[in-house]
Amino acid sequence: MRNLDEETITQAVLARHADMPNGRMKEIMTSLVQHLHAFAREVHLTEAEWAEGIKFLTEVGHTCTSSRQEFILLSDTLGLSTLVTAQNHKKPRGCTEATVFGPFYVDDAPEYELGADVANGMTGEPCYVSGKVKSVTGEAVPNARLEVWQADSEGFYDVQQAGLDGHQGRGTLTADERGGFHFKSIVAECYPIPHDGPVGRMLDAMGRHPWRPAHLHFMISAPGFETLITHVFREGGEYLDSDAVFGVRSSLIGDWVRHEAGTAPDGTSSATPFYTLDFDFILNPAPAAPAPSRR
Ligand code: BEZ
Ligand code: FE
């Protein structure tokens, strides 16, 4: 194949895909090439602009470390994460909606008893969180595993703080037989996504802010149910309508109630004001396993 030009290059690339052994990869790469070429044609991409694009993607890669995932930030801020989440988690009416995962989950958070303080020394106003895990028909889902994680009052997750000894603001709990759970933490505040790297500069150049509304992350799993990755947002907070990563869903906004100093839900006496959040989660049944194929 020679003498390819603006008109013939796309088909020439696609012709090379003819014998791709993996059918799904062929589908994805064919579509990717078609859309990339269409994009370059539509905006009439110049060489200088594409060089700038390659420089940007290189910087995104160089910014990634074991505790900083700049490609997730790029996917999130371009709305791609929300699109992929939405099209993969269509649920029956009434189920708790999923939202973006974000880059700050860790899979070895400490296990806590119900009622424990998962803040574990993280700074912020105390918040007592409770709720139930239920099925879409209203029955309790017993013993669901809840993983929770959140930023501190300054907007930083523990993994963003160098030299922190141990996990703060995250934990794993097991709901009781009736699906109930409760734990203590700190009240969530709005915070900017990490914006001191190429994605932050991109947002700035586009006239966009990096802020997320206050939220608490949950990942909830139980046998027979689809794992739920979601947040609970704070009613009345800032940025609910301009989340930098497009993650807000009305059904996920909870009422975080402020209380004056006094007796807290765990029976202790709180010398400072505190918050409570009561929020139930409705899990979607796991998709049925495909029937064994007949011969
Ligand atoms: C988060 O909520 O932790 C998050 C989500 C997307 C990008 C950055 C942070
Ligand atoms: Fe977050």
Side-chain angles (χ1 to χ4, degrees), residues 53-188:
I54 287 176
K55 184 164 163 268
F56 170 75
L57 290 171
T58 305
E59 280 168 14
V60 170
H62 285 163
T63 307
C64 292
T65 66
S66 58
S67 59
R68 171 81 177 249
Q69 229 307 346
E70 199 74 0
F71 277 109
I72 294 183
L73 296 184
L74 183 58
S75 163
D76 292 347
T77 52
L78 295 182
L80 188 57
S81 303
T82 285
L83 169 59
V84 174
T85 299
Q87 70 184 1
N88 283 287
H89 296 278
K90 292 182 189 141
K91 298 174 195 239
R93 211 180 157 77
C95 286
T96 305
E97 295 183 277
T99 190
V100 290
F101 196 27
F104 296 125
Y105 169 80
V106 303
D107 62 9
D108 63 345
E111 299 266 352
Y112 287 108
E113 297 287 319
L114 291 177
D117 181 0
V118 309
N120 189 25
M122 186 173 244
T123 58
E125 290 184 276
C127 182
Y128 295 84
V129 182
S130 60
K132 281 201 166 57
V133 184
K134 299 193 254 186
S135 71
V136 75
T137 46
E139 287 113 32
V141 174
N143 311 123
R145 180 181 168 87
L146 292 100
E147 292 174 77
V148 301
W149 65 105
Q150 71 166 108
D152 67 13
S153 57
E154 302 295 312
F156 294 107
Y157 285 80
D158 55 357
V159 289
Q160 294 176 280
Q161 324 230 26
L164 245 192
D165 190 16
H167 295 300
Q168 292 189 329
R170 66 177 75 240
T172 304
L173 304 112
T174 304
D176 64 23
E177 279 297 303
R178 287 175 299 171
F181 65 88
H182 62 287
F183 60 91
K184 185 180 176 194
S185 190
I186 55 165
V187 71

Side-chain angles (χ1 to χ4, degrees), residues 73 76 102-104 157 191 193 212 215 217 231 245:
L73 296 184
D76 292 347
F104 296 125
Y157 285 80
Y191 66 85
I193 64 166
R212 296 216 65 204
H215 61 272
H217 293 258
H231 306 358
V245 302

Side-chain angles (χ1 to χ4, degrees), residues 201-259:
R201 290 194 287 280
M202 174 191 82
L203 291 179
D204 203 35
M206 295 194 298
R208 282 176 49 183
H209 73 70
W211 287 84
R212 296 216 65 204
H215 61 272
L216 176 56
H217 293 258
F218 284 87
M219 173 146 72
I220 304 178
S221 46
F225 293 90
E226 183 187 330
T227 294
L228 172 66
I229 296 173
T230 197
H231 306 358
V232 180
F233 295 92
R234 246 176 100 180
E235 176 70 278
E238 271 186 277
Y239 307 110
L240 285 169
D241 290 307
S242 67
D243 181 6
V245 302
F246 307 98
V248 180
R249 314 205 61 81
S250 304
S251 67
L252 299 178
I253 300 176
D255 207 5
W256 305 55
V257 183
R258 187 175 186 276
H259 305 263

